[in-house]
Coordinates of all heavy atoms in Angstrom, one line a residue:
D1710 N -19.3 -11.6 34.1 CA -20.1 -12.8 34.0 C -21.2 -12.7 32.9 O -21.7 -11.6 32.7 CB -20.8 -13.0 35.4 CG -19.9 -13.4 36.5 OD1 -18.8 -13.9 36.2 OD2 -20.2 -13.1 37.7
I1711 N -21.5 -13.8 32.3 CA -22.5 -13.8 31.2 C -23.7 -14.5 31.7 O -23.7 -15.7 32.2 CB -21.9 -14.5 30.0 CG1 -20.7 -13.8 29.5 CG2 -23.0 -14.6 28.9 CD1 -20.0 -14.5 28.3
R1712 N -24.9 -13.8 31.7 CA -26.1 -14.4 32.2 C -27.2 -14.4 31.1 O -27.0 -13.7 30.1 CB -26.7 -13.5 33.4 CG -25.7 -13.4 34.5 CD -26.3 -12.4 35.6 NE -25.3 -12.2 36.6 CZ -25.5 -11.3 37.6 NH1 -26.7 -10.6 37.7 NH2 -24.6 -11.1 38.6
Q1713 N -28.3 -15.1 31.3 CA -29.4 -15.2 30.4 C -30.5 -14.3 31.0 O -30.9 -14.4 32.2 CB -29.9 -16.6 30.2 CG -28.9 -17.4 29.4 CD -29.4 -18.8 29.2 OE1 -30.2 -19.4 30.0 NE2 -29.0 -19.5 28.1
V1714 N -31.0 -13.4 30.2 CA -32.1 -12.5 30.6 C -33.3 -12.5 29.6 O -33.0 -12.9 28.5 CB -31.6 -11.0 30.8 CG1 -30.5 -10.9 31.8 CG2 -31.1 -10.5 29.4
R1715 N -34.5 -12.2 30.1 CA -35.6 -12.2 29.2 C -35.5 -11.0 28.2 O -34.9 -10.0 28.5 CB -36.9 -12.1 30.0 CG -37.2 -13.4 30.8 CD -38.7 -13.4 31.2 NE -39.1 -12.2 32.0 CZ -39.0 -12.1 33.3 NH1 -38.5 -13.2 34.0 NH2 -39.4 -11.0 33.9
E1716 N -36.2 -11.2 27.0 CA -36.2 -10.2 26.0 C -36.8 -9.0 26.5 O -37.9 -9.0 27.1 CB -36.9 -10.8 24.8 CG -36.8 -9.8 23.6 CD -37.4 -10.5 22.3 OE1 -37.8 -11.6 22.4 OE2 -37.4 -9.8 21.3
G1717 N -36.2 -7.8 26.2 CA -36.7 -6.5 26.6 C -36.2 -6.0 27.9 O -36.5 -4.9 28.3
R1718 N -35.6 -6.9 28.7 CA -35.0 -6.5 30.0 C -33.6 -6.0 29.9 O -32.9 -6.3 28.9 CB -35.1 -7.7 31.0 CG -36.4 -8.3 31.2 CD -37.3 -7.3 32.0 NE -36.7 -7.0 33.3 CZ -36.9 -7.7 34.4 NH1 -37.7 -8.8 34.4 NH2 -36.4 -7.3 35.5
P1719 N -33.1 -5.1 30.8 CA -31.7 -4.6 30.7 C -30.8 -5.8 30.7 O -31.0 -6.8 31.5 CB -31.6 -3.8 32.0 CG -33.0 -3.3 32.3 CD -33.9 -4.5 31.9
A1720 N -29.8 -5.8 29.9 CA -28.9 -6.9 29.7 C -27.4 -6.6 30.1 O -26.5 -7.2 29.7 CB -28.9 -7.3 28.2
A1721 N -27.3 -5.6 31.0 CA -25.9 -5.3 31.4 C -26.0 -4.7 32.8 O -27.0 -3.9 33.1 CB -25.2 -4.3 30.5
G1722 N -25.1 -5.0 33.7 CA -25.0 -4.4 35.0 C -23.6 -4.4 35.5 O -22.7 -4.7 34.8
R1723 N -23.5 -4.2 36.8 CA -22.1 -4.1 37.4 C -21.6 -5.6 37.5 O -22.1 -6.4 38.2 CB -22.2 -3.6 38.8 CG -20.8 -3.4 39.5 CD -21.0 -2.9 40.9 NE -21.6 -1.6 40.9 CZ -20.9 -0.4 40.8 NH1 -19.6 -0.5 40.7 NH2 -21.5 0.7 40.8
G1724 N -20.5 -5.8 36.7 CA -19.9 -7.1 36.7 C -20.5 -8.2 35.9 O -20.1 -9.3 36.0
W1725 N -21.6 -7.9 35.1 CA -22.2 -8.9 34.4 C -22.8 -8.3 33.1 O -23.1 -7.1 33.0 CB -23.3 -9.6 35.2 CG -24.5 -8.7 35.5 CD1 -24.7 -7.9 36.5 CD2 -25.7 -8.6 34.7 NE1 -25.9 -7.2 36.4 CE2 -26.5 -7.6 35.3 CE3 -26.2 -9.2 33.5 CZ2 -27.8 -7.2 34.9 CZ3 -27.4 -8.8 33.0 CH2 -28.2 -7.8 33.7
I1726 N -23.0 -9.2 32.1 CA -23.6 -8.9 30.8 C -24.6 -10.0 30.5 O -24.4 -11.1 31.0 CB -22.6 -8.7 29.7 CG1 -21.7 -9.9 29.5 CG2 -21.8 -7.4 29.9 CD1 -20.8 -9.8 28.3
G1727 N -25.6 -9.7 29.7 CA -26.6 -10.7 29.5 C -26.9 -11.0 28.0 O -26.6 -10.2 27.2
I1728 N -27.4 -12.2 27.8 CA -27.9 -12.6 26.4 C -29.3 -13.0 26.6 O -29.8 -13.4 27.6 CB -27.0 -13.7 25.9 CG1 -27.1 -15.0 26.7 CG2 -25.6 -13.3 25.7 CD1 -26.4 -16.2 26.2
T1729 N -30.0 -13.0 25.5 CA -31.5 -13.3 25.4 C -31.7 -14.6 24.8 O -31.5 -14.7 23.6 CB -32.2 -12.2 24.7 OG1 -32.0 -10.9 25.3 CG2 -33.7 -12.4 24.7
P1730 N -32.2 -15.6 25.5 CA -32.5 -16.9 24.9 C -33.6 -16.7 23.8 O -34.6 -16.0 24.0 CB -33.0 -17.8 26.1 CG -32.5 -17.1 27.3 CD -32.4 -15.7 27.0
R1731 N -33.4 -17.4 22.7 CA -34.3 -17.2 21.6 C -35.4 -18.3 21.4 O -36.4 -18.2 20.7 CB -33.5 -17.1 20.3 CG -32.5 -16.0 20.3 CD -33.1 -14.6 20.4 NE -33.7 -14.3 19.1 CZ -34.4 -13.2 18.9 NH1 -34.7 -12.4 19.9 NH2 -34.9 -12.9 17.7
Q1732 N -35.1 -19.5 22.0 CA -36.0 -20.7 22.0 C -36.4 -21.0 20.5 O -37.5 -21.3 20.2 CB -37.3 -20.4 22.8 CG -37.0 -20.2 24.3 CD -38.2 -19.9 25.1 OE1 -39.3 -19.7 24.5 NE2 -38.1 -20.0 26.4
A1733 N -35.4 -21.0 19.7 CA -35.7 -21.3 18.3 C -35.8 -22.8 18.1 O -35.2 -23.6 19.0 CB -34.6 -20.8 17.4
Y1734 N -36.5 -23.3 17.1 CA -36.6 -24.7 16.9 C -36.7 -25.1 15.4 O -36.9 -24.2 14.6 CB -37.9 -25.2 17.6 CG -39.2 -24.6 17.1 CD1 -39.9 -25.2 16.0 CD2 -39.7 -23.4 17.7 CE1 -41.0 -24.6 15.5 CE2 -40.8 -22.9 17.2 CZ -41.5 -23.4 16.1 OH -42.6 -22.8 15.6
L1735 N -36.6 -26.4 15.1 CA -36.7 -26.9 13.8 C -37.8 -27.9 13.7 O -37.8 -28.8 14.5 CB -35.3 -27.5 13.4 CG -35.3 -28.2 12.0 CD1 -35.5 -27.2 10.9 CD2 -34.0 -29.0 11.8
T1736 N -38.8 -27.7 12.9 CA -39.9 -28.6 12.7 C -39.4 -29.8 11.9 O -39.2 -29.7 10.7 CB -41.1 -27.9 12.0 OG1 -41.5 -26.8 12.8 CG2 -42.3 -28.9 11.9

Side-chain angles (χ1 to χ4, degrees):
D1710 293 335
I1711 300 177
R1712 305 175 184 176
Q1713 292 181 329
V1714 297
R1715 291 198 302 271
E1716 187 174 355
R1718 299 294 300 274
R1723 184 183 296 273
W1725 67 275
I1726 55 177
I1728 61 173
T1729 302
R1731 304 294 287 173
Q1732 298 179 348
Y1734 61 88
L1735 175 67
T1736 302

